[in-house]
Amino acid sequence: MNWRHLYLEALERLSDRQAARWFVEEASGAVWPAVLEDQVPAPAGSAFYDMLARREAGEPVQYVLGHWAFRQLDLMVDSRVLIPRPETEVVVEVALAELARLADRPLVADLGTGSGAIALAIATECPRAEVWATDLSEDALAVASANLAGLGTKAAGRARLVQGSWWHALPGSLKGTLDLAVTNPPYVAEGELATLPPEVSRWEPLQALVAGRSGLEALSAIAAEAPAWLGPRAALVAEIAPHQDRAAVGLAYSAGFEEAFVKPDLTGRPRVLVARRRT
């Protein structure tokens, strides 16, 4: 049996051409389509059918593969962390734009880092930045640590992982010195959980998805303490749900930021809060 047979079987069972191709590439370790006529070794065939069964059970493709692309990175991901998404890539883009106007060697905090996607992307794409990444979850930090190890010594030397809730994980010596804080906090309201796709609500970590009754609890807690941690002209960049744009801006002004606005994602929906200090 060759890989073409297994690809066609996956296509029939999943009705998903892209996933079928990814599973062939992952199990074979070879590049599509050169592998199609090769015979399937028994261990590789077993791995392929395991991935196929997991996907049929509803597990997200990203978790089945065990890794996923995020900007310039290939990140390890599993059910301990959220799946990196294009919306969060936009958060990084906005964060990098903020860093471009700030210090030559900026200090950055990524609050609730999960897989490390935001922190490690910034460390990779802004070679002058020093990045602190926090998370309350030991499991999430284990994933972030694995991704940090795969980053390469140059960028990894400028990123640190610390455990704790939001700002409280950071050393007190950083108070008033950070140039940028960036976060993708939980922003789903408890009543919205049932409206999420089953792939999300059944498989992704609820503590990283659901903030509370309003969906703004995490952002409110982060924004309230942000001015004490941020230096002059510094900014907070946060991913939000599109319908939270006005409320998020209001939270920023209530916390003491002098300027706040929301930038769109790739589909034009309000997605990224930017709150700036002037002094």
Side-chain angles (χ1 to χ4, degrees):
M1 182 180 295
N2 61 23
W3 285 106
R4 184 181 299 277
H5 289 101
L6 295 193
Y7 166 74
L8 293 174
E9 181 177 349
L11 185 58
E12 180 179 357
R13 290 169 61 175
L14 299 177
S15 298
D16 185 337
R17 189 178 303 274
Q18 187 63 71
R21 171 178 167 173
W22 282 331
F23 293 167
V24 167
E25 289 185 323
E26 187 70 25
S28 67
V31 178
W32 184 275
V35 69
L36 287 178
E37 306 308 324
D38 292 349
Q39 294 299 300
V40 181
S46 177
F48 175 85
Y49 279 113
D50 177 66
M51 288 189 288
L52 189 55
R54 289 169 63 187
R55 182 64 187 133
E56 286 183 311
E59 188 171 355
V61 168
Q62 295 89 341
Y63 292 161
V64 175
L65 292 171
H67 60 96
W68 198 245
F70 183 82
R71 294 183 67 87
Q72 299 177 14
L73 306 173
D74 185 33
L75 296 172
M76 168 188 165
V77 292
D78 58 30
S79 59
R80 293 174 289 180
V81 296
L82 292 180
I83 295 166
R85 289 178 167 84
E87 294 87 347
T88 309
E89 294 193 24
V90 175
V91 173
V92 173
E93 194 68 34
V94 173
L96 291 171
E98 289 299 303
L99 289 177
R101 69 175 183 84
L102 294 169
D104 289 337
R105 297 179 62 84
L107 276 171
V108 180
D110 173 22
L111 306 176
T113 195
S115 66
I118 292 175
L120 302 185
I122 290 174
T124 299
E125 297 184 49
C126 185
R128 54 197 178 88
E130 179 182 346
V131 185
W132 290 77
T134 80
D135 208 293
L136 183 61
S137 166
E138 289 186 19
D139 286 341
L141 285 176
V143 176
S145 180
N147 285 321
L148 178 62
L151 197 61
T153 56
K154 192 170 183 181
R158 292 180 288 99
R160 303 179 189 180
L161 304 175
V162 286
Q163 186 182 7
S165 177
W166 308 131
W167 305 102
H168 302 290
L170 298 172
S173 59
L174 293 180
K175 269 198 170 182
T177 69
L178 293 171
D179 297 292
L180 178 73
V182 60
T183 182
N184 177 17
Y187 54 73
V188 175
E190 291 172 351
E192 296 170 335
L193 184 60
T195 69
L196 297 179
E199 278 193 9
V200 176
S201 59
R202 285 182 53 206
W203 294 94
E204 298 196 57
L206 292 181
Q207 67 271 23
L209 289 169
V210 179
R213 292 185 64 184
S214 73
L216 289 165
E217 287 83 355
L219 179 61
S220 179
I222 292 168
E225 294 191 49
W229 288 89
L230 297 175
R233 300 179 63 245
L236 170 67
V237 172
E239 183 170 331
I240 61 171
H243 65 275
Q244 296 171 338
D245 54 343
R246 292 185 180 181
V249 168
L251 283 174
Y253 281 124
S254 296
F257 286 94
E258 291 88 1
E259 182 181 7
F261 54 91
V262 175
K263 291 202 156 194
D265 60 22
L266 296 173
T267 65
R269 297 175 299 174
R271 181 62 66 179
V272 187
L273 171 70
V274 179
R276 293 173 177 166
R277 297 194 65 194
R278 290 179 184 165
T279 58

